Every structure is written in structure tokens, then in C-alpha cells.
């Protein structure tokens, strides 16, 4: 709601610029120009459609119980998935843009495009997350099923770099132009799975099966394409300098990242247990940005 109201306010500002500009036919807006700008954006970032899947394997070598009775090796595995609820985040970020515009011949209407970049560096976290698991283990030729959970001390998704390329159309007035555009985006996102441990309910007891003494952590980073739309208004201080205020909504594609690796654990009794943790994480990141920049036209 916060950004919707700001988007409405920006459209109202654009309408006011258009109305006031009707009083003069002389414009200081260049017929065409390249421009570069620097400023700041206020961003609301949402993490939606989040899901993660995990699969664990384990191998326990032959050992003896407390009475000295030999115990056969144990080989097990389990897997499962869950949705993840990550909270929205708000952040201010530096913003850079560069672009070009040109009027249609003999018209106040114009076309153009701009490239924009922001470093968001924003993370959303959920603590003590459970990934339900179902599987079983073999010991001495006998298969025993079990249920359990991966326990993840903290699950995080981060968005760092965000870029967009927005072709636009607009209309110029005495000291301004308003515009609307849409185009592709590219963002770098990252997943962190911190201190993950697998537990199984076996024989009425909850037992660690993937290394309680040394919980593992994993991360996965990727670049994700998406799409966005922008509405904005400018104000020219003179023919070479202008302010640009815009509202942008963008969403990344729903791309899957792989994470995982080997683990090892040294229990109090018996030899070293080994295994693997593997998994995937996926989801969208949406960004609403209200941006203001000071620009130089060439």
C-alpha cells in the first residue's frame, strides 16, 4: 500500500506537470539527447513463491553397541520439500541511469530508452525452518522406513545487483516530459542455507542422521532475468540538467538454484559417519522502487 500510494502520487505529479505546461509553447527540452544520472531509490522488496527441497544420505560403518555386540553398517536416505515464507524488506539504494531520447519529427511526442542500475544488498531471513523428510535405512538386509525433518537454523534469500533496460514513450512540455516504459531486467540473487541438520524419528527416538556435531552450511548464487515497467516525470532546470522521478515495478523469473555437498560426523561411539546433503531452492523477487536522479543531457 505504501508504494501504491506513492505511484498514485507520482501519476498525480505527472498530470500536474502536463496541465501547467499547457500555458507555454516554448520548450527547453532538447529535441534529442543522451543523458546520464545519479541518485537514490527507496525500495520495497518481496520474496514470493519460495520453495525448497532437500535430500540427505548417510552411511554409518559397522560398530559395536555398549554391550560389545557387533552392529551392521547402516545406509539411509530421506527427502522432502516445503514452502518458505520470507518477509518483505525495505531499503534505500544508490541508483545510476543512462539513456537516450528523441522527439518524433514535428511533434511533442518522443521515444527513448534508459538503462538503470541499483545495488540493493537486501536479505530476508527465516530462522529454525523445518524441511519435512520421508525415507528409510538398510541394516543387515532389513529396510526400516522413517519420517523426520531437516532443521535449518537460518534460511535466507538475498538480492544484490539489479539492472533494467526500459524502452519508453513520452510527451514533452515547456520544462519537462512524462514517460512510460517496459522492458527486461537482470538481478543477482543468492540463497543461504545455514547450519542444516537432518533428524529422523526411529524407534520412538529423534536421532541426528546428518552430523549433529558439525552442521553444514551451503549457498547458491545466480543471475535471473525478469521484466519490469516504469512511469516517470522529469523537470529541466536548463536544457542540459534535469531531475527525473520514477516509479518502477519489476519481478524476476522463478529460477531454481542447486545447493549441497558432503558431510562427515564423528560420534562418541563408532567410526566416522558420512553422507551428502543436496537440494534446490526457487522463488521470485519483486521490487517496487521510487527513484529520483539528477541527470546531465548531452
Amino acid at each position: 500500500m505504501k508504494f501504491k500510494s506513492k505511484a498514485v502520487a507520482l501519476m498525480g505529479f505527472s498530470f500536474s506537470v502536463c496541465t501547467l505546461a499547457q500555458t507555454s509553447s516554448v520548450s527547453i527540452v532538447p529535441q534529442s539527447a543522451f543523458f546520464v544520472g545519479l541518485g537514490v531509490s527507496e525500495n520495497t522488496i518481496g520474496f514470493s513463491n519460495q520453495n525448497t527441497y532437500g535430500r540427505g544420505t548417510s552411511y554409518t560403518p559397522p560398530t559395536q553397541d555398549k554391550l560389545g555386540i557387533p552392529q551392521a553398517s547402516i545406509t539411509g536416505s530421506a527427502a522432502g520439500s516445503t514452502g518458505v515464507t520470507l518477509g518483505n524488506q525495505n531499503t534505500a539504494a544508490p541508483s545510476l541511469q543512462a539513456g537516450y531520447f528523441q522527439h518524433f519529427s514535428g511533434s511533442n511526442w518522443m521515444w527513448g530508452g534508459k538503462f538503470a542500475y541499483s545495488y540493493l544488498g537486501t536479505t530476508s531471513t527465516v530462522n529454525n525452518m523445518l524441511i519435512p523428510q520421508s525415507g528409510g535405512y538398510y541394516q543387515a538386509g532389513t529396510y526400516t522406513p522413517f519420517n523426520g525433518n531437516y532443521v535449518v537454523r537460518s534460511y535466507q534469500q538475498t538480492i544484490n545487483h539489479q539492472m533494467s533496460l526500459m524502452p519508453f514513450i513520452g510527451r514533452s512540455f515547456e520544462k519537462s516530459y512524462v514517460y512510460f516504459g517496459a522492458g527486461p531486467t537482470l538481478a543477482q540473487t543468492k540463497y543461504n542455507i545455514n547450519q542444516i541438520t537432518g533428524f529422523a524419528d526411529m524407534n520412538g527416538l529423534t536421532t541426528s542422521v546428518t552430523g549433529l556435531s558439525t552442521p553444514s552450511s551451503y549457498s547458491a548464487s545466480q543471475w535471473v532475468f525478469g521484466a519490469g515497467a516504469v512511469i516517470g516525470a522529469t523537470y529541466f532546470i536548463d536544457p542540459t540538467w534535469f531531475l527525473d522521478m520514477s516509479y518502477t515495478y519489476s519481478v524476476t523469473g522463478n529460477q531454481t538454484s542447486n545447493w549441497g555437498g558432503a558431510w562427515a560426523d564423528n560420534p562418541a561411539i563408532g567410526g566416522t559417519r558420512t553422507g551428502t546433503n543436496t537440494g534446490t531452492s526457487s522463488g521470485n523477487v519483486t521490487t517496487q522502487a521510487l527513484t529520483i536522479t539528477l541527470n546531465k543531457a548531452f
Side-chain angles (χ1 to χ4, degrees):
M1 296 299 295
K2 176 182 178 182
F3 266 84
K4 287 182 180 178
S5 63
K6 289 186 177 180
V8 171
L10 179 58
M11 288 187 285
F13 171 74
S14 302
F15 177 78
S16 299
V17 168
C18 298
T19 303
L20 292 173
Q22 303 293 337
T23 60
S24 174
S25 59
V26 179
S27 175
I28 64 171
V29 179
Q31 284 297 300
S32 65
F34 291 96
F35 62 88
V36 294
L38 183 64
V40 65
S41 62
E42 182 184 357
N43 305 269
T44 294
I45 301 168
F47 301 86
S48 55
N49 301 315
Q50 300 290 317
N51 187 274
T52 191
Y53 163 84
R55 181 178 186 273
T57 67
S58 64
Y59 171 74
T60 302
T63 186
Q64 295 181 348
D65 64 15
K66 295 180 180 180
L67 299 177
I69 300 174
Q71 300 293 309
S73 63
I74 302 174
T75 302
S77 66
S81 64
T82 187
V84 183
T85 301
L86 292 169
N88 291 351
Q89 302 294 313
N90 297 306
T91 187
S95 296
L96 173 70
Q97 67 177 24
Y100 175 79
F101 65 82
Q102 179 176 322
H103 285 79
F104 293 101
S105 179
S107 172
N108 290 327
W109 290 94
M110 60 200 302
W111 62 270
K114 69 175 182 176
F115 168 85
Y117 167 80
S118 291
Y119 181 78
L120 299 174
T122 299
T123 299
S124 188
T125 302
V126 58
N127 294 318
N128 299 319
M129 186 185 78
L130 301 181
I131 307 175
Q133 299 281 283
S134 179
Y137 66 91
Y138 286 94
Q139 185 176 27
T142 300
Y143 180 77
T144 303
F146 64 79
N147 294 314
N149 286 285
Y150 265 131
V151 177
V152 184
R153 291 307 177 194
S154 68
Y155 181 96
Q156 299 174 314
Q157 187 175 17
T158 299
I159 181 169
N160 288 319
H161 308 282
Q162 185 172 62
M163 294 172 278
S164 64
L165 181 61
M166 301 283 187
F168 64 79
I169 57 172
R171 191 182 191 283
S172 66
F173 301 93
E174 178 187 359
K175 294 183 178 182
S176 64
Y177 67 81
V178 294
Y179 63 94
F180 170 81
T185 64
L186 180 64
Q188 185 198 43
T189 62
K190 183 179 182 181
Y191 291 98
N192 288 311
I193 295 88
N194 299 315
Q195 298 188 29
I196 183 171
T197 305
F199 291 89
D201 297 324
M202 296 187 295
N203 302 317
L205 298 175
T206 300
T207 305
S208 166
V209 292
T210 62
L212 180 61
S213 65
T214 55
S216 301
S217 297
Y218 307 103
S219 64
S221 180
Q222 62 181 356
W223 288 91
V224 187
F225 284 102
V230 62
I231 181 173
T234 67
Y235 177 79
F236 278 75
I237 302 167
D238 62 35
T240 60
W241 288 97
F242 67 92
L243 293 172
D244 180 12
M245 178 179 285
S246 63
Y247 168 80
T248 305
Y249 179 88
S250 62
V251 58
T252 68
N254 194 338
Q255 189 166 326
T256 300
S257 295
N258 297 303
W259 51 263
W263 62 266
D265 188 36
N266 295 301
I269 300 175
T272 300
R273 298 186 302 161
T274 58
T276 59
N277 294 314
T278 56
T280 61
S281 294
S282 61
N284 302 106
V285 181
T286 60
T287 304
Q288 298 182 72
L290 186 62
T291 306
I292 184 167
T293 57
L294 177 64
N295 298 262
K296 172 69 173 179
F298 300 93

